[in-house]
Amino acid sequence: MDQIKIGKFIASCRKEKNMTQRQLADILEISDKTVSKWECGKGLPEVQFMLPLCNLLGINVNELLSGEKISADEYQQKAEKNMMTLVKENEYAKTYKPLIWWTVSFVLIALFLGFGWNSLGNTQILSKIVIIMVMTFVDVLFTIIYKGEYVYWIVYGPDFETAKNSNSQRRKTYAWKYLRIFLVASIILMVFLFGSMLLNLSASFDFIISLVIFITAGLTTVPIKF
């Protein structure tokens, strides 16, 4: 949905009805800041307000979601397009949950292991475990992105609309390039940490080498374009 276009359309229809934002808000029993947010394109009207808003503005929901007046000939085509867009956006909205839950789980597990190993006084082993967990977290994060094709989560990724409207193979190819880099970085890191344990290297040295590997992996992703 083009929220900017919809917002301008709402503002235009409201002005045609000679209503201020405050008057419209009072009728809908919401704040004028909410109306302002809609008209600035910072959010869409919630479902429960769509029909009342359309009735007040003299438009239908299809026109509201299209951000323009629709002729009878275009109505069915626009309705199908808007329905598909809503379905896609609903699917993409679900991506927040697995990522948030994984992040929370990772933090809790890291804290639990950290306190446990500190109580044993073995900071050398603790540092290696934390580093392994950080890289595992990054790998799992990018695996979720790859499997779900949620490339708008990637730092250098496209914006939401571009990612949503592109085809599946393009999203997966792009996400796989990132995932592959961090999987290779993780393998290199695991080999280093195994050697570090055998040689009993310091935690500071582990941290420096891990940072170098992680930064190198990050810089390697910079040239990747969607």
Side-chain angles (χ1 to χ4, degrees), residues 75-99:
Y75 190 87
Q76 185 62 34
Q77 182 182 357
K78 287 284 187 178
E80 291 176 357
K81 182 179 179 182
N82 288 333
M83 181 60 69
M84 290 301 297
T85 301
L86 286 173
V87 169
K88 283 183 179 180
E89 291 188 357
N90 184 57
E91 290 176 350
Y92 270 71
K94 293 177 183 176
T95 67
Y96 290 86
K97 290 184 178 179
L99 294 177

Side-chain angles (χ1 to χ4, degrees), residues 20-191:
T20 64
Q21 289 184 345
R22 173 60 65 84
Q23 289 172 330
L24 180 60
D26 287 343
I27 297 173
L28 294 173
E29 297 182 348
I30 56 177
S31 70
D32 55 341
K33 290 183 179 179
T34 300
V35 175
S36 176
K37 183 182 72 173
W38 295 344
E39 295 187 356
C40 290
K42 295 180 180 178
L44 293 174
E46 289 76 5
V47 175
Q48 67 268 30
F49 295 123
M50 284 189 178
L51 278 176
L53 176 63
C54 289
N55 290 334
L56 287 169
L57 299 180
I59 58 177
N60 56 55
V61 174
N62 198 15
E63 289 175 325
L64 173 66
L65 296 178
S66 299
E68 60 185 356
K69 293 287 180 69
I70 302 173
S71 66
D73 294 335
E74 297 176 312
Y75 190 87
Q76 185 62 34
Q77 182 182 357
K78 287 284 187 178
E80 291 176 357
K81 182 179 179 182
N82 288 333
M83 181 60 69
M84 290 301 297
T85 301
L86 286 173
V87 169
K88 283 183 179 180
E89 291 188 357
N90 184 57
E91 290 176 350
Y92 270 71
K94 293 177 183 176
T95 67
Y96 290 86
K97 290 184 178 179
L99 294 177
I100 290 173
W101 277 113
W102 173 248
T103 303
V104 171
S105 300
F106 168 77
V107 171
L108 292 176
I109 292 172
L111 288 173
F112 174 77
L113 289 176
F115 284 122
W117 281 103
N118 268 331
S119 65
L120 296 175
N122 199 334
T123 55
Q124 293 290 77
I125 296 178
L126 170 63
S127 68
K128 293 169 177 55
I129 289 176
V130 171
I131 291 169
I132 290 173
M133 289 189 66
V134 169
M135 286 307 295
T136 301
F137 169 71
V138 173
D139 291 336
V140 173
L141 181 66
F142 276 104
T143 300
I144 293 173
I145 290 172
Y146 168 70
K147 290 292 185 180
E149 303 169 27
Y150 313 132
V151 298
Y152 58 90
W153 281 89
I154 297 176
V155 176
Y156 306 107
D159 57 44
F160 178 81
E161 288 296 325
T162 302
K164 181 186 66 178
N165 294 325
S166 64
N167 62 64
S168 176
Q169 188 55 47
R170 186 182 183 191
R171 291 194 297 264
K172 296 198 78 168
T173 300
Y174 179 73
W176 169 244
K177 291 178 181 179
Y178 273 78
L179 175 58
R180 182 175 56 197
I181 288 172
F182 283 98
L183 287 176
V184 170
S186 295
I187 293 172
I188 294 172
L189 188 58
M190 297 298 179
V191 172

